[in-house]
Amino acid sequence: MAEIFKDEEQSARLRAEAEFGQREIQPFFEDDNLPGSVLEVGCGTGFLLSQLAEKYKDSSFSGVEPIGSGFSQFEDTLNAIESRYTNITFIRKRIEDVKSDEKYDLIYSVNVFEHLDDWREAIDICLSMLNINGRLVILCPNYWIPYESHFSLPIIGSKSLTYKIFSKKILEMEEAYDAHGLWKSLNFVTAPQIKKYCHSRDYTLEFDTAVMARMLDRLDEDPEFKKRQSALATIAIIANRCGAGFVLRSLPARWGAYMKAVIRAKTSTASI
């Protein structure tokens, strides 16, 4: 992949994120029941999809990623990956705009649902595209805990008030990472909101509460992630070494700053 991602720093960051995503998605690639068709919602540069497509050559992979003005680099990268891997196809739209009769065994999204204009509609669309016993896996921050991980900021009262207090730092970070509009894109989705919505739609939902323990481990093992979360990293690492991970595994999903939700249509009978 080095010739596709020529920027070494970008490549290292993308590789670290892809490794995290792959570890979390890996349990759904069971040896005796491999998903034949997989969709990633918000695939970005396609790095994670390319890693999975390389490993599971008999499965077909699709990635949803809208490409707008100013994101030509994404377009070039997606084109390069699509040319290399015959089992990858990209859909250059927002998930909310996808109208397709395609069906998938597994749909997943890593750190994207907190940016969607309408995450509820996205859940509905994803479940409509699942095969029977298919699963939707969502990994993203849980804003019921008042912490914003992209900017490493406490949430004070509301999104608007937090912005007023920390606007200088937010704008500086958006400029430094060439991520203009990142703060505006955040929808502050929470685990209780997802639980309430799935209940109202009669969807089957299960949270993997052990994900927070794995996130603490990641702070210890991933230098890039530790650097991004420097505001809390030292405290979190000490807490983890004192057994915080064990405690977090037994707490309800709402108490984790990060969540992993597995959603299925009610007619599905597969176990998680």
Side-chain angles (χ1 to χ4, degrees), residues 37 103-106 127-135 268:
S37 53
K103 297 292 183 180
Y104 302 92
D105 299 318
L106 174 67
L127 289 185
S128 74
M129 293 192 294
L130 283 175
N131 283 319
I132 293 176
N133 295 334
R135 288 168 285 194
S268 176

Side-chain angles (χ1 to χ4, degrees), residues 125-162:
I125 291 172
C126 287
L127 289 185
S128 74
M129 293 192 294
L130 283 175
N131 283 319
I132 293 176
N133 295 334
R135 288 168 285 194
L136 167 64
V137 183
I138 300 170
L139 291 127
C140 72
N142 168 30
Y143 288 98
W144 197 83
I145 299 298
Y147 175 71
E148 208 306 293
S149 57
H150 299 80
F151 296 90
S152 298
L153 292 173
I155 297 172
I156 314 271
S158 65
K159 179 181 178 180
S160 59
L161 178 58
T162 303

Side-chain angles (χ1 to χ4, degrees), residues 167-180:
S167 59
K168 182 178 179 181
K169 180 177 180 179
I170 290 169
L171 293 173
E172 286 176 350
M173 288 189 66
E174 288 186 338
E175 181 67 29
Y177 289 98
D178 193 21
H180 303 285

Side-chain angles (χ1 to χ4, degrees), residues 224-269:
E224 176 66 28
F225 185 59
K226 180 179 179 180
K227 179 181 177 181
R228 294 204 310 272
Q229 301 300 326
S230 58
L232 291 178
T234 301
I235 296 173
I237 290 171
I238 293 173
N240 191 33
R241 293 175 182 177
C242 292
F246 176 79
V247 174
L248 286 170
R249 289 174 186 271
S250 62
L251 292 177
R254 70 168 58 209
W255 293 106
Y258 196 78
M259 59 178 155
K260 181 177 183 179
V262 182
I263 307 173
R264 293 177 281 127
K266 191 66 173 180
T267 55
S268 176
T269 59

Side-chain angles (χ1 to χ4, degrees), residues 174-263:
E174 288 186 338
E175 181 67 29
Y177 289 98
D178 193 21
H180 303 285
L182 176 60
W183 178 266
K184 184 179 179 180
S185 76
L186 297 172
N187 58 37
F188 280 32
V189 62
T190 72
Q193 286 176 336
I194 288 181
K195 182 178 180 179
K196 181 179 180 180
Y197 185 70
C198 287
H199 179 74
S200 72
R201 301 289 288 179
D202 208 21
Y203 297 149
T204 299
L205 166 68
E206 183 171 329
F207 285 107
D208 179 354
T209 55
V211 70
M212 272 304 299
R214 296 193 295 274
M215 293 297 282
L216 289 181
D217 289 339
R218 188 184 177 196
L219 279 171
D220 233 347
E221 300 163 358
D222 184 343
E224 176 66 28
F225 185 59
K226 180 179 179 180
K227 179 181 177 181
R228 294 204 310 272
Q229 301 300 326
S230 58
L232 291 178
T234 301
I235 296 173
I237 290 171
I238 293 173
N240 191 33
R241 293 175 182 177
C242 292
F246 176 79
V247 174
L248 286 170
R249 289 174 186 271
S250 62
L251 292 177
R254 70 168 58 209
W255 293 106
Y258 196 78
M259 59 178 155
K260 181 177 183 179
V262 182
I263 307 173

